[in-house]
Amino acid sequence: MNIVLEIGTKNYVDDLLSIKKSLSHMESLLACYNGYALSEPSTKFGWTFFKLAFKPELQTGIEEKFSDMIEKYQWSSPTQKFTKFMTDYFLSRGCNVKIKLSD
């Protein structure tokens, strides 16, 4: 199953650049390029929301390379663990965003 995250930010331009840099770094680590897609942003109440869809190759690469870290999260499903891992990854790379699993 391809994971799609919904990302919310108050500073779209800066956070989008940080997310793209973070994903580029991840793609370089995994030798997997063009591994995600971003939706068009929408703005509500001072927040900008957009979706980040992982393509199978990148998603699988992340799950395999960081399986030991992902497994340590206390969430019930693998997709929730992956979401929490990516949230922490983006925060550690300076992306001040809110992330949830898209329906």
Side-chain angles (χ1 to χ4, degrees), residues 39-58:
S39 71
E40 290 297 316
S42 64
T43 304
K44 297 176 194 166
F45 308 110
W47 284 80
T48 303
F49 299 94
F50 60 96
K51 293 187 179 185
L52 167 63
F54 289 88
K55 294 181 181 175
E57 187 179 5
L58 179 60

Side-chain angles (χ1 to χ4, degrees), residues 74-94:
Q74 299 298 316
W75 299 93
S76 58
S77 75
T79 55
Q80 289 174 324
K81 289 180 180 186
F82 183 88
T83 301
K84 182 63 177 154
F85 172 78
M86 291 309 300
T87 300
D88 289 347
Y89 176 73
F90 288 138
L91 287 174
S92 74
R93 308 276 301 173

Side-chain angles (χ1 to χ4, degrees), residues 1-98:
M1 180 176 118
N2 292 352
I3 293 178
V4 179
L5 304 178
E6 186 173 324
I7 301 176
T9 177
K10 288 191 174 190
N11 189 349
Y12 177 70
V13 173
D14 290 342
D15 286 333
L16 180 64
L17 180 60
S18 292
I19 286 171
K20 285 182 175 182
K21 284 182 180 179
S22 298
L23 289 170
S24 176
H25 181 259
M26 183 68 78
E27 288 175 327
S28 294
L29 282 174
L30 302 171
C32 168
Y33 300 99
N34 197 22
Y36 65 92
L38 298 170
S39 71
E40 290 297 316
S42 64
T43 304
K44 297 176 194 166
F45 308 110
W47 284 80
T48 303
F49 299 94
F50 60 96
K51 293 187 179 185
L52 167 63
F54 289 88
K55 294 181 181 175
E57 187 179 5
L58 179 60
Q59 180 181 329
T60 302
I62 293 170
E63 290 170 341
E64 289 173 359
K65 180 150 182 89
F66 300 101
S67 62
D68 57 330
M69 296 172 76
I70 293 171
E71 279 303 311
K72 291 181 182 179
Y73 288 102
Q74 299 298 316
W75 299 93
S76 58
S77 75
T79 55
Q80 289 174 324
K81 289 180 180 186
F82 183 88
T83 301
K84 182 63 177 154
F85 172 78
M86 291 309 300
T87 300
D88 289 347
Y89 176 73
F90 288 138
L91 287 174
S92 74
R93 308 276 301 173
C95 307
N96 189 23
V97 296
K98 301 293 181 195

